[in-house]
């Protein structure tokens, strides 16, 4: 493929000849040919995928409504997690997720119990212990 001359010829730039662009890998004609859709593969993948699975990424969006957190642990804690996961035939990630979800459930239950105690403490009702009335009063 001939290259244009970068030197000045006779003081004029009007005599520069256009260069043939040649055939490149990313030429528009080759790109148009490469975009042909494989309908058999597309239909096969569509058949495998559920219609509205909240756990699928679909078009590259978030994984359902889940969010990813990174967890940095020291070496000893990391080894303990790996050992505990191996005993349960789980991956360390699955075990950590299970533990976190359990702890969140416990925290939610503790907060709701504390909220009930707080609401009961601010009523006009007074509660007596039923066992205190059945015992004889010492004289």
């Amino acid at each position: 493929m001939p290259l244009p001359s970068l030197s000045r010829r006779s003081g004029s730039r009007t005599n520069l000849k256009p260069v043939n662009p040649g055939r490149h890998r990313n030429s528009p004609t080759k790109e148009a040919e490469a975009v042909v859709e494989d309908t058999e593969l597309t239909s096969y993948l569509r058949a495998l995928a559920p219609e509205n699975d909240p756990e699928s990424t679909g078009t590259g969006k978030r994984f359902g409504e889940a969010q990813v957190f990174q967890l940095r642990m020291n070496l000893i804690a990391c080894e303990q997690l790996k050992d505990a996961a191996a005993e349960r035939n789980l991956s360390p990630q699955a075990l950590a997720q299970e533990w976190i979800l359990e702890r969140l459930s416990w925290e939610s239950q503790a907060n709701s119990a504390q909220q009930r105690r707080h609401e009961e403490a601010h009523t006009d009702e007074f509660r007596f212990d039923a066992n205190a009335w059945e015992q004889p009063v010492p004289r």
Side-chain angles (χ1 to χ4, degrees), residues 68-72:
V68 176
F69 288 95
Q70 287 186 345
L71 182 63
R72 190 176 308 266

Side-chain angles (χ1 to χ4, degrees), residues 57-125:
T57 56
T59 58
K61 296 181 181 176
R62 290 184 353 180
F63 189 77
E65 292 298 318
Q67 185 175 358
V68 176
F69 288 95
Q70 287 186 345
L71 182 63
R72 190 176 308 266
M73 300 173 64
N74 64 32
L75 185 61
I76 295 171
C78 187
E79 289 301 318
Q80 288 176 330
L81 178 63
K82 287 179 183 178
D83 292 343
E87 289 174 7
R88 293 167 175 83
N89 292 327
L90 294 172
S91 69
Q93 295 86 348
L95 183 59
Q97 182 181 14
E98 182 180 319
W99 284 348
I100 290 170
L101 293 175
E102 283 179 6
R103 179 57 188 253
L104 289 173
S105 175
W106 293 342
E107 291 288 332
S108 176
Q109 290 173 2
N111 286 340
S112 64
Q114 183 179 7
Q115 180 68 25
R116 280 195 306 271
R117 284 193 303 271
H118 180 65
E119 289 172 358
E120 290 174 358
H122 292 294
T123 63
D124 294 336
E125 235 178 271

